Amino acid sequence: MTDTPPANQPAGYVPAKVWQPKSNPAGTFGSINSPVSGARFDQALPVGRHPLQLYSQGTPNGQKITILLEELLAAGHEGAEYDAWLIDIFKGDQFGSGFVGLNPNSKIPALVDRSTDPVTQVFESGSILVHLAERFGAFLPAEGRARTETFNWLMWQVGSAPFVGGGLGHFYGYAPFKIEYAIDRYAMETKRQLHVLDTHLASHEFLAGDQYTIADMAVWPWYPGSLYGVYDTHEFLAVEEYRHLLRWYEAIAARPAVARGRVINRTSGAPGTVLRERHDASDFDALIPAPL
């Protein structure tokens, strides 16, 4: 490559023959991003008293798991009691030796299930959802078309969300400068995904049909949750025009377990929306304003 594109950003940039990382990378996560994996410091993970130990942050991927856990408890599954420990990804907690030993990919969420012998370690949000749903026999149809449909939409979300978070969310909200081409590319794809969901939900109560499943819990924090919340792109993308998607979104938002699950392991937000860690159901009492 010898000619620089006329609208190149930054001006004059031409990719090197062999890429090398910058000594001072820019962007929100620039100081913690690295081209190699592995632990960067020694730090053991804390362990609470419950069978399930969750290590996470209240991002859309983290919310999937705490929503399911709260739904399981609401459905009467006492064995789903859990400790939710905060892994602050903005501070680099995910690179501690304990967390890397649990998830070599250094991404939240990760789960330790101490009710099994031997202990089960699970990482990747989709895998954790399936593990818990199968462990308790809930929110995942046992057989037939509904089970397949649940997996269809769960896998769709796992494969599609990077276009929203790492794509639109990054270039619209986190990149050190705006790149029209990148924002247009990912806005186009995010709009297409919203239309996929809106079209499907025009004739289905939930993603897998008439059953509320882990597929709904996986998609809900992202579409349109992340667009209202962490990336603040709802106006930019005209999210309000997807009325069938919003019907579904608001119905799930009204569930008490979802209202609890969405606030856990948050590090910022309005009063009543942040519960940094959850170790007992009574922890939610701190979110309720005291009577005058």
Side-chain angles (χ1 to χ4, degrees):
M1 180 181 295
T2 57
D3 296 328
T4 302
N8 216 28
Q9 295 184 37
Y13 169 70
V14 176
K17 186 175 181 179
V18 178
W19 180 84
Q20 294 292 332
K22 302 290 191 300
S23 58
N24 295 300
T28 301
F29 293 96
S31 63
I32 62 173
N33 285 340
S34 171
V36 297
S37 63
R40 302 180 189 176
F41 55 90
D42 290 330
Q43 182 173 294
L45 289 175
V47 178
R49 62 187 177 89
H50 297 303
L52 300 174
Q53 299 292 300
L54 178 66
Y55 303 93
S56 188
Q57 187 164 345
T59 66
N61 280 335
Q63 289 178 38
K64 299 176 191 177
I65 312 307
T66 47
I67 287 172
L68 173 56
L69 287 166
E70 290 299 322
E71 290 282 14
L72 287 168
L73 291 171
H77 297 280
E78 295 180 0
E81 265 296 349
Y82 67 102
D83 291 275
W85 302 93
L86 174 63
I87 300 295
D88 193 330
I89 62 175
F90 289 90
K91 294 181 178 179
D93 291 349
Q94 67 272 35
F95 302 112
S97 57
F99 190 81
V100 174
L102 175 55
N103 181 2
N105 196 39
S106 296
K107 304 288 184 182
I108 62 93
L111 177 79
V112 176
D113 185 347
R114 299 163 64 198
S115 69
T116 64
D117 187 16
V119 168
T120 302
Q121 298 186 169
V122 197
F123 64 89
E124 289 296 323
S125 58
S127 183
I128 297 172
L129 289 174
V130 173
H131 172 80
L132 291 173
E134 291 187 333
R135 163 94 170 72
F136 293 99
F139 303 110
L140 176 60
E143 57 187 16
R145 180 176 179 179
R147 182 179 178 85
T148 300
E149 281 289 282
T150 300
F151 277 111
N152 286 345
W153 287 103
L154 176 60
M155 300 306 166
W156 177 88
Q157 186 279 317
V158 171
S160 298
F163 290 98
V164 179
L168 178 65
H170 175 78
F171 287 106
Y172 186 88
Y174 292 145
F177 52 87
K178 306 300 183 188
I179 303 174
E180 183 179 7
Y181 171 81
I183 292 173
D184 283 349
R185 174 180 173 84
Y186 289 110
M188 177 81 73
E189 173 59 15
T190 302
K191 292 278 287 183
R192 191 192 68 80
Q193 292 177 13
L194 290 170
H195 190 261
V196 168
L197 288 167
D198 193 63
T199 301
H200 180 72
L201 290 166
S203 57
H204 297 80
E205 182 179 4
F206 297 107
L207 290 173
D210 60 357
Q211 298 185 60
Y212 174 57
T213 70
I214 56 173
D216 299 287
M217 300 177 205
V219 172
W220 185 85
W222 280 100
Y223 303 91
S226 67
L227 306 179
Y228 280 105
V230 63
Y231 303 125
D232 194 26
T233 56
H234 58 284
E235 183 178 7
F236 179 66
L237 296 175
V239 168
E240 299 296 329
E241 70 185 28
Y242 302 102
R243 59 188 183 89
H244 304 297
L245 174 61
L246 291 180
R247 182 271 308 163
W248 166 87
Y249 178 78
E250 291 165 2
I252 292 176
R255 298 178 67 91
V258 173
R260 292 191 296 274
R262 71 187 303 184
V263 305
I264 299 169
N265 294 145
R266 297 277 299 273
T267 57
S268 63
T273 68
V274 177
L275 185 63
R276 289 178 62 87
E277 293 189 347
R278 186 268 191 212
H279 303 287
D280 187 82
S282 62
D283 292 339
F284 291 103
D285 295 343
L287 297 175
I288 301 174
L292 298 176

